[in-house]
Amino acid sequence: MQDELIARARTWLAEDPDAETREELAGLIDAGDTAELAARFSGTLQFGTAGLRGELGAGPMRMNRSVVIRAAAGLAAYLNKQGSAGGLVVIGYDARHKSADFARDTAAVMTGAGLRAAVLPRPLPTPVLAFAIRHLGAVAGVEVTASHNPPRDNGYKVYLGDGSQIVPPADAEIAAEIEAVRSLADVPRPDSGWETLDDSVLGAYLARTDAVLADGSPRTARTVYTAMHGVGKDTLLAAFARAGFPEPVLVEEQAEPDPEFPTVAFPNPEEPGAMDLAFARARETDPDLIVANDPDADRCAVAVKDGADWRMLRGDEVGALLATHLVRRGAQGTFAESIVSSSLLGRIAEKAGLPYEETLTGFKWIARVDGLRYGYEEALGYCVDPEGVRDKDGITAALLITELASQLKEEGRTLLDLLDDIAVEHGLHATDQLSVRVEDLSVIARAMEQLREQPPTTLAGLAITRAEDLTRGTDRLPPTDGLRYTLDGARVIVRPSGTEPKLKCYLEVVVPVAAHADLPEAHATATDLLAKIKQDLSAAAGI
């Protein structure tokens, strides 16, 4: 067994095109580190609806040039079999370690397979790539990014010609083509033949951002902005300048791309401590709101002054604010969200007489809703211009929330005041999340198994009126690995994360509110219920 492991590692080493990972792997072989080799060669990084995502390093269970070349070859073979031979594939990348190398390898593989390849001119936000696919009439797009994952990770996100991310069965069909790649020697990789795009695509994207704002709307709100060490700064500043907003005050320590993400434990605005520097800057400059992007700028976080200090708004709160703003501007079309997001959007759409759809988790599903006008997901993802970008877009979302803050500012009001109005109109929809990060993925599997075998009957003293195992699908949703519990005035969804080693539990309670004077009591009731649900759910899942 050990000899077989070493032999597989030597075979991989012989065709690895990257000097860095060759040296790393050779060191493991020479040291006889069979435990680490077994971890690297225990299988292959699985290609799914999130594409690929994993830790950088040598071997088939890590992100590296060998794995990316195979993935690109599989995608190219799939596209050719789908009748897209000779079509254009657009490739974007972020500023993480190896991203530019992975983008170049992808361009070479596409060119060698008879497709046309075009690479964005430098590290740019993911929504620029999603826009470029539709703008240039491409048959597919690839974004090299690990979004808000830790610094040691990278990833590979695939879009098809409609500009939205792949969904089944395309993911399985591409995975089968990747599996069919026997040797890297079988994959033609010319040294040239692809195009490096100029700034005209970025210019077209920026021109499109103007469309999310209303003509003549107030543009007075002042912002503090952090790019979270990612690629959002230049594009967001250009968009804000075009729109005529005051220039955002930057969180300088996090403004420039840095693949080490030195000031944060995890480069995700939702993670504890990630916004601390932004809060400190806001205390110095007293803006109207704080705006943050994640490292590839497809997500947008918003923070507001609440009493004497600053706090992050939940994704569901921003989702409701943007929906209300669009309704008041007369938006027409379908409002959509994923099942893990607040049910408040459905109430807002219903009252406005607008169509509403609920989808599985992920923008790959939201983007496919017929007649989509606005879509959001609680994990800080918002699609406010689906004709331009069929994906979440942290740049246009930042523009729209800043327009809303400006309008409220002119009225002497704030985003929190509007949230209060929404709660009185539709009931207080309070959400929270129980998220457990694990080293061992079997912990997640055991928790899901325990909940299926011994499902809870009550949570926080509320009876569970309906328990659904989403692996069976529903009349509106295809199957997915998740559990949904409906309670009297509450809802819980439990699912493994698709992109991180986490078990995620999404909690919502709805408390009726008769008048503004009743809001403090409603908030206290909701906070208490959410805490008790979290406690009981932890016990039921054994986590």
Side-chain angles (χ1 to χ4, degrees), residues 209-281:
T209 63
D210 299 347
V212 307
L213 302 174
D215 289 341
S217 62
R219 312 278 167 94
T220 55
R222 295 179 304 106
T223 55
V224 160
Y225 171 70
T226 175
M228 206 66 66
H229 299 295
V231 299
K233 183 197 74 173
D234 291 347
T235 304
L236 182 129
L237 290 182
F240 269 56
R242 285 181 66 96
F245 287 113
E247 184 177 353
V249 174
L250 298 178
V251 178
E252 297 288 354
E253 302 94 324
Q254 298 174 335
E256 299 302 328
D258 187 334
E260 291 298 320
F261 304 103
T263 68
V264 288
F266 290 95
N268 177 354
E270 292 181 293
E271 292 283 348
M275 294 288 286
D276 286 358
L277 289 171
F279 290 165
R281 198 82 178 96

Side-chain angles (χ1 to χ4, degrees), residues 278-301:
F279 290 165
R281 198 82 178 96
R283 291 182 197 111
E284 294 166 5
T285 57
D286 196 30
D288 298 298
L289 72 164
I290 299 171
V291 172
N293 287 136
D294 67 338
D296 69 327
D298 64 350
R299 297 169 195 249
C300 175

Side-chain angles (χ1 to χ4, degrees), residues 311-446:
R311 78 164 173 95
M312 273 270 289
L313 293 179
R314 292 190 169 277
D316 285 316
E317 292 177 308
V318 177
L321 287 167
L322 292 176
T324 301
H325 185 42
L326 288 170
V327 165
R328 290 180 177 179
R329 276 183 27 188
Q332 292 297 308
T334 303
F335 280 27
E337 64 179 341
S338 62
I339 56 172
V340 298
S341 305
S342 170
S343 59
L344 176 56
L345 184 68
R347 298 211 184 174
I348 292 169
E350 183 182 13
K351 185 145 189 188
L354 295 174
Y356 165 76
E357 288 286 337
E358 196 178 52
T359 74
L360 292 184
T361 309
F363 262 83
K364 56 185 176 280
W365 298 107
I366 295 171
R368 286 182 158 71
V369 167
D370 283 343
L372 182 67
R373 174 58 185 88
Y374 168 64
Y376 98 91
E377 190 155 70
E378 56 73 43
L380 311 183
Y382 313 94
C383 175
V384 300
D385 177 26
E387 290 307 306
V389 176
R390 294 296 274 199
D391 198 8
K392 54 187 178 291
D393 182 347
I395 305 295
T396 49
L399 287 171
L400 197 62
I401 197 71
T402 307
E403 178 186 61
L404 174 57
S406 299
Q407 185 178 313
L408 291 165
K409 183 179 180 179
E410 299 295 296
E411 299 167 5
R413 287 157 48 79
T414 68
L415 294 172
L416 290 180
D417 292 328
L418 181 53
L419 282 172
D420 286 348
D421 292 349
I422 293 168
V424 172
E425 185 172 1
H426 301 287
L428 175 65
H429 289 62
T431 56
D432 201 357
Q433 194 179 124
L434 172 62
S435 184
V436 183
R437 186 181 291 272
V438 300
E439 292 294 327
D440 179 1
L441 289 174
S442 69
V443 172
I444 294 175
R446 279 198 304 275

